[in-house]
């Protein structure tokens, strides 16, 4: 059950990654347009700076869960690798627990910010885009990250046993 949930969360993480890539593509096009309009037409676009800055907020979080699913976070394993296998497992579980707890904190904070910005009707200063447009993807990304980290923590022993048995098979 947890492994199925983990696979679903990994698919959602991949979808979020593609959303982040799309936003980056939109930003690149918009920034290029802003540069062209400013220097070629001598008419600066007053919205490009705020728009790209606001879009950076969700982009910063879209790849969190995908990086976790691919084990792509930077690690310093020099000390961990010198420990016995059992101690390595403890360190790995502790690392996942810290990710879950940190993710929970930020998930709740981002969800609360999304709800508050929705109810307040707060908008960006120049574009007048509702701020909850930016908080909802952040809250979703952090929630998926937290759930995936929790699923990884709860299935840690199963994943380790499965990978060791498949490696030993002829």
């Amino acid at each position: 059950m947890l492994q199925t949930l983990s696979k679903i969360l990994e698919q959602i993480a991949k979808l979020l990654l593609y959303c982040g890539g799309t936003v980056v593509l939109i930003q690149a096009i918009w920034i290029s347009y802003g540069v062209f309009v400013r220097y070629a037409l001598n008419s600066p676009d007053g919205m490009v700076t705020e728009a790209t800055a606001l879009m950076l907020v969700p982009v910063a979080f879209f790849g969190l869960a995908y990086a976790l699913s691919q084990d792509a976070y930077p690690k310093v394993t020099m000390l961990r690798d010198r420990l016995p296998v059992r101690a390595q497992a403890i360190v790995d579980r502790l690392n996942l627990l810290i990710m879950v707890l940190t993710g929970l904190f930020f998930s709740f904070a981002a969800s609360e910010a999304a709800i508050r910005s929705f109810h307040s009707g707060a908008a960006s200063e120049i574009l007048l885009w509702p701020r909850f447009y930016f908080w909802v993807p952040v809250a979703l990304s952090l929630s998926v990250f937290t759930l995936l980290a929790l699923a990884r923590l709860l299935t840690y022993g199963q994943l380790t046993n499965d990978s060791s048995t498949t490696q030993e098979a002829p």
Side-chain angles (χ1 to χ4, degrees):
M1 164 100 175
L2 281 175
Q3 289 180 348
T4 304
L5 177 64
S6 183
K7 294 289 183 198
I8 292 169
L9 290 169
E10 287 177 8
Q11 291 300 321
I12 294 171
K14 191 179 283 188
L15 179 66
L16 289 171
L17 179 75
Y18 292 142
C19 290
T22 303
V23 171
V24 168
L25 182 63
I26 291 168
Q27 287 177 309
I29 291 168
W30 202 338
I31 290 169
S32 299
Y33 165 78
V35 169
F36 172 77
V37 168
R38 173 175 295 231
Y39 294 110
L41 304 178
N42 202 19
S43 175
D45 181 3
M47 299 184 331
V48 68
T49 303
E50 185 182 14
T52 55
L54 287 172
M55 287 190 280
L56 278 176
V57 174
V59 165
F61 294 96
F62 274 136
L64 278 176
Y66 185 76
L68 177 63
S69 72
Q70 299 299 308
D71 195 26
Y73 286 121
K75 297 179 186 177
V76 178
T77 59
M78 186 172 59
L79 177 62
R80 179 200 164 272
D81 291 345
R82 292 179 186 246
L83 297 172
V85 175
R86 263 198 146 142
Q88 288 180 12
I90 291 169
V91 169
D92 292 343
R93 285 185 180 126
L94 181 61
N95 185 34
L96 284 169
L97 179 63
I98 291 169
M99 285 185 187
V100 169
L101 294 175
T102 305
L104 273 173
F105 173 78
F106 285 113
S107 294
F108 282 121
S111 297
E112 184 178 351
I115 291 167
R116 286 180 187 258
S117 65
F118 178 77
H119 288 299
S120 73
S124 63
E125 287 74 23
I126 296 171
L127 300 173
L128 300 178
W129 290 350
R131 291 212 182 261
F132 74 90
Y133 285 176
F134 306 97
W135 280 112
V136 168
V138 171
L140 177 66
S141 298
L142 285 166
S143 297
V144 170
F145 167 79
T146 303
L147 290 173
L148 185 58
L150 182 61
R152 289 276 169 110
L153 178 62
L154 294 175
T155 60
Y156 179 80
Q158 295 169 357
L159 293 175
T160 306
N161 291 338
D162 290 345
S163 64
S164 65
T165 55
T166 55
Q167 290 174 353
E168 292 176 14

